[in-house]
């Protein structure tokens, strides 16, 4: 498949808001694709590079390269070239990467260049998410949508299911089954604004602690234990204490869902950054385990003794979990009968926050496990942190945001009357906000390097965020987690923005 075909579909998908039209465009694309194109086409549509970060910055991408007159690049050729760029290391690597990028851009048409720049910079956001790709794949092959979704869930990979479907047709779905040792995509939760809202929607439900840890899926088959993250990465070798814990459980063959989290000596959760750092540590695991020991906290059972539990109600799955896993290794929870029990659910939330956790997840007792989907049967409730910060700079966007200032640099007041940057975000910005802020920030501009526009620190913006983490990148030593724009506060002056000291005081768990 030519890259230009993919770039055209990406642009068309971005230009339409109709879900049915997006799916039809993707279905047509899949019909034209060869099975071997699919592992590239699907992540490209979602704005992901299979190779991950390539070490290509704006200094390289900003260089003007005359585009090709006619399209000749195939998606597989592009993938091979990007893989080659990603492998460049050592002395002279920066110049070599620049040379290879120049060759790639020189072989691309103008439209393909725009698509590639957006893809490499992570600015391809045309709404072609995996859920839409699943529907498009079903439509292209004549398979039933629910059957494709389930196969993707069990395979843990949309690409592998797509390849099988395009090669062998709908009958290929029969080969995708829940198997111990092969991870499945985890079930995810939607957000509710409050406990009463969540309980009102679900009725009889369990209210469980929402832990700020790392999602982990534990597979045991006899003495063999494998551990996987929510992105299906195998982390078995990094967490020997989880392997030991799994081998102590009563069952011989199971798949369990849960979190891994680090606790301090008082039994309170350590910062997410500490847990994430431990899980990500690959060198000298024994020393890391002594410094930051982690514990499993299980909340669901997907398979027990070779029996697939996915379609069972949550109440029955939890009964199986309780049979296998001792209470200290299970998530704290309370069960409520419905709206009349809201006070008990709210009291449990208050106790959870007091214990240092970030909120609760409210789960319908009659719901099956919809792996790989953000189902309405699980609703997370957590306090929303907001700050009034000052815009210090903004970055020119790409893809559908080309020509508009997008990524905001956010600062809090410092004791000396200045501002300290706490992070960046382009999340939460509507088209109307993008248009307005582009005009307003250009009025405040004091400097530009062609990519970043530095502005006078006069514009206050309300930011929602999930918490703080320590960071050496920013002067205050901390960075916002999952920041997103709520609204601009033109009614506030910069001196009314939140101070660094206020931010730090609100998050003592981050520490000095």
């Amino acid at each position: 498949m030519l890259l230009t075909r993919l770039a055209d579909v990406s642009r068309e998908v971005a230009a339409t808001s109709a879900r049915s039209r997006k799916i039809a465009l993707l279905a047509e694309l899949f019909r034209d694709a060869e099975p071997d194109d699919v592992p590239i086409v699907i992540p490209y549509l979602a704005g992901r590079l299979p190779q991950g970060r390539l070490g290509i910055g704006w200094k390289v991408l900003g260089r003007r390269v005359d585009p090709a007159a006619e399209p000749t690049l195939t998606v597989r050729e592009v993938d091979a070239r990007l893989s080659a760029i990603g492998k460049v290391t050592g002395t002279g690597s920066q110049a070599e990467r620049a040379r290879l990028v120049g060759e790639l851009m020189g072989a691309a048409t103008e439209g393909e260049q725009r698509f590639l720049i957006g893809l490499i910079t992570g600015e391809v956001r045309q709404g072609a998410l995996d859920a839409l790709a699943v529907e498009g794949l079903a439509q292209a092959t004549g398979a039933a949508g629910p059957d494709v979704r389930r196969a993707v869930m069990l395979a843990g990979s949309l690409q592998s299911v797509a390849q099988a479907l395009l090669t062998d047709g709908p009958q290929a779905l029969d080969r995708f089954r829940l198997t111990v040792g092969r991870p499945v995509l985890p079930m995810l939760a939607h957000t509710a604004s409050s406990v009463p809202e969540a309980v009102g929607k679900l009725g009889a439900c369990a209210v469980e602690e929402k832990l700020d840890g790392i999602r982990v899926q534990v597979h045991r088959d006899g003495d063999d234990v494998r551990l996987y993250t929510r992105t299906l990465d195998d982390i078995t070798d990094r967490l020997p204490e989880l392997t030991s814990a799994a081998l102590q459980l009563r069952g011989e063959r199971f798949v369990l869902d849960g979190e891994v989290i680090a606790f301090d000596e008082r039994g309170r959760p350590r910062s997410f950054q500490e847990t994430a750092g431990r899980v990500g540590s690959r060198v000298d695991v024994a020393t890391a385990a002594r410094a930051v020991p982690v514990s499993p906290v299980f909340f669901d059972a997907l398979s027990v003794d070779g029996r697939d539990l996915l379609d069972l109600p949550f109440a029955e799955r939890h009964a199986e979990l309780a049979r296998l896993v001792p209470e200290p290794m299970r998530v704290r929870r309370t069960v409520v009968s419905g709206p009349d029990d809201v006070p008990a659910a709210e009291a449990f939330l208050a106790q959870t926050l007091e214990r240092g956790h970030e909120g609760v997840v409210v789960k319908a007792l009659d719901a099956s496990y919809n792996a790989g989907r953000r189902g309405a049967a699980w609703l997370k409730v957590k306090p929303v942190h907001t700050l009034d910060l000052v815009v210090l700079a903004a970055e020119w966007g790409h893809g559908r945001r080309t020509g508009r200032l997008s990524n905001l640099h956010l600062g809090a007041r410092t004791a000396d009357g200045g501002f300290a940057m706490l992070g960046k975000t382009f999340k939460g910005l509507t088209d109307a906000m993008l248009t307005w802020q582009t005009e307003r920030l250009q009025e405040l501009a004091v400097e530009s390097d062609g990519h970043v526009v530095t502005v006078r620190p006069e514009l206050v913006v309300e930011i929602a965020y999930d918490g703080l983490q320590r960071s050496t990148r920013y002067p205050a030593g901390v960075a916002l987690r999952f920041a997103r724009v709520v609204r601009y506060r033109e009614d506030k002056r910069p001196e009314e923005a939140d101070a660094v000291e206020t931010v730090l005081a609100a998050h003592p768990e981050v520490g000095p």
Side-chain angles (χ1 to χ4, degrees):
M1 173 178 284
L2 289 175
L3 180 66
T4 189
R5 175 83 171 91
L6 179 59
D8 288 345
V9 170
S10 177
R11 186 177 62 254
E12 288 185 74
V13 168
T16 180
S17 59
R19 180 182 173 87
S20 60
R21 177 58 180 158
K22 291 179 187 285
I23 292 171
L25 287 166
L26 295 177
E28 189 176 340
L29 179 71
F30 289 137
R31 290 190 193 102
D32 293 344
E34 295 292 330
D36 288 344
D37 293 332
V38 168
I40 306 163
V41 167
I42 287 176
Y44 279 17
L45 283 169
R48 300 191 301 267
L49 279 176
Q51 298 86 355
R53 293 181 180 272
L54 296 176
I56 302 172
W58 283 108
K59 186 176 180 180
V60 172
L61 292 173
R63 295 172 183 170
R64 168 70 181 171
V65 178
D66 291 335
E70 298 292 334
T72 59
L73 286 172
T74 67
V75 292
R76 276 180 267 177
E77 180 185 354
V78 170
D79 182 65
R81 288 185 180 223
L82 291 176
S83 293
I85 292 170
K87 293 176 181 176
V88 175
T89 58
T91 304
S93 59
Q94 187 173 0
E96 178 63 7
R97 279 195 295 267
R99 185 186 70 80
L100 293 174
V101 170
E103 288 183 354
L104 174 60
M105 291 301 177
T109 64
E110 186 175 358
E112 290 171 333
Q113 284 185 353
R114 287 196 297 270
F115 178 77
L116 286 170
I117 290 173
L119 185 64
I120 293 169
T121 59
E123 285 281 349
V124 174
R125 300 183 188 93
Q126 76 279 50
L129 303 177
D130 286 346
L132 291 175
V134 166
E135 298 300 326
L137 185 61
Q139 194 175 109
T141 60
D147 292 344
V148 178
R149 285 194 295 272
R150 185 176 179 85
V152 172
M153 166 188 80
L154 297 176
S157 165
L158 174 56
Q159 290 95 309
S160 62
V161 173
Q163 278 187 295
L165 267 174
L166 293 175
T167 301
D168 299 323
Q171 64 269 21
L173 298 180
D174 293 337
R175 71 183 69 152
F176 297 102
R177 303 179 184 278
L178 179 59
T179 303
V180 176
R182 186 172 69 189
V184 300
L185 294 170
M187 183 171 176
L188 304 174
H190 276 294
T191 299
S193 62
S194 66
V195 165
E197 177 191 331
V199 175
K201 287 181 177 179
L202 301 182
C205 56
V207 185
E208 299 183 344
E209 287 179 332
K210 186 180 188 307
L211 308 178
D212 197 15
I214 299 293
R215 190 77 171 264
V216 65
Q217 196 175 108
V218 177
H219 291 239
R220 177 181 172 185
D221 189 355
D223 291 334
D224 183 37
V225 175
R226 308 306 299 176
L227 312 174
Y228 302 94
T229 66
R230 66 182 291 167
T231 55
L232 312 187
D233 295 322
D234 189 329
I235 55 171
T236 307
D237 295 340
R238 304 181 212 170
L239 303 175
E241 59 266 61
L242 258 70
T243 296
S244 297
L247 290 172
Q248 293 170 17
L249 300 181
R250 297 185 182 95
E252 289 287 322
R253 197 161 187 263
F254 53 72
V255 179
L256 304 181
D257 192 4
E259 297 258 338
V260 60
I261 188 169
F263 295 100
D264 64 19
E265 62 279 358
R266 299 170 298 165
R268 294 180 65 81
R270 298 170 87 161
S271 71
F272 173 82
Q273 193 173 15
E274 289 179 278
T275 298
R278 168 62 210 286
V279 173
S281 177
R282 303 167 186 265
V283 179
D284 196 357
V285 170
T287 299
R290 288 192 295 271
V292 185
V294 293
S295 303
V297 182
F298 296 108
F299 49 70
D300 216 325
L302 312 188
S303 175
V304 174
D305 297 332
R307 187 163 65 104
D308 182 339
L309 308 182
L310 296 174
D311 293 329
L312 293 183
F314 177 48
E316 294 183 34
R317 298 199 310 277
H318 191 272
E320 287 294 311
L321 179 73
R323 184 173 67 83
L324 292 182
V325 180
E327 187 174 359
M329 276 197 277
R330 300 199 307 268
V331 72
R332 286 191 183 94
R333 71 199 303 253
T334 188
V335 175
V336 299
S337 61
D340 290 343
D341 276 350
V342 162
E346 290 187 307
F348 183 82
L349 170 61
Q351 294 161 8
T352 297
L353 296 175
E354 180 63 28
R355 287 190 289 267
H357 299 298
E358 63 174 7
V360 295
V361 182
V362 185
K363 302 178 179 179
L365 294 177
D366 60 356
S368 60
Y369 190 96
N370 292 315
R373 304 192 69 192
R374 199 171 289 281
W378 288 11
L379 298 173
K380 57 187 176 183
V381 180
K382 56 182 180 179
V384 177
H385 304 291
T386 62
L387 293 171
D388 289 331
L389 301 176
V390 173
V391 179
L392 306 178
E395 299 171 12
W396 288 107
H398 289 270
R400 70 178 185 86
R401 295 188 176 188
T402 297
R404 294 190 284 186
L405 287 171
S406 176
N407 206 16
L408 301 175
H409 296 202
L410 305 166
R413 289 187 297 109
T414 57
D416 61 3
F419 295 93
M421 188 171 169
L422 298 182
K424 306 178 186 181
T425 190
F426 52 77
K427 301 292 182 64
L429 292 166
T430 65
D431 286 342
M433 293 172 76
L434 281 165
T435 300
W436 180 86
Q437 76 181 25
T438 299
E439 181 177 344
R440 183 74 180 95
L441 292 175
Q442 287 185 94
E443 295 172 357
L444 299 173
V446 294
E447 186 181 352
S448 175
D449 64 4
H451 174 52
V452 178
V453 176
T454 304
V455 300
R456 297 195 303 274
E458 298 178 7
L459 190 58
V460 178
V461 61
E462 184 178 349
I463 297 293
Y465 67 107
D466 286 3
L468 292 183
Q469 64 184 35
R470 287 192 294 275
S471 173
T472 57
R473 292 184 57 191
Y474 298 117
V478 295
L480 302 175
R481 291 184 58 213
F482 304 113
R484 60 266 187 202
V485 174
V486 177
R487 56 177 172 161
Y488 276 100
R489 297 300 305 265
E490 290 189 281
D491 57 321
K492 288 198 169 187
R493 300 185 303 275
E495 55 268 30
E496 295 178 276
D498 285 299
V500 170
E501 292 77 6
T502 303
V503 177
L504 294 175
H507 297 278
E509 72 279 3
V510 175

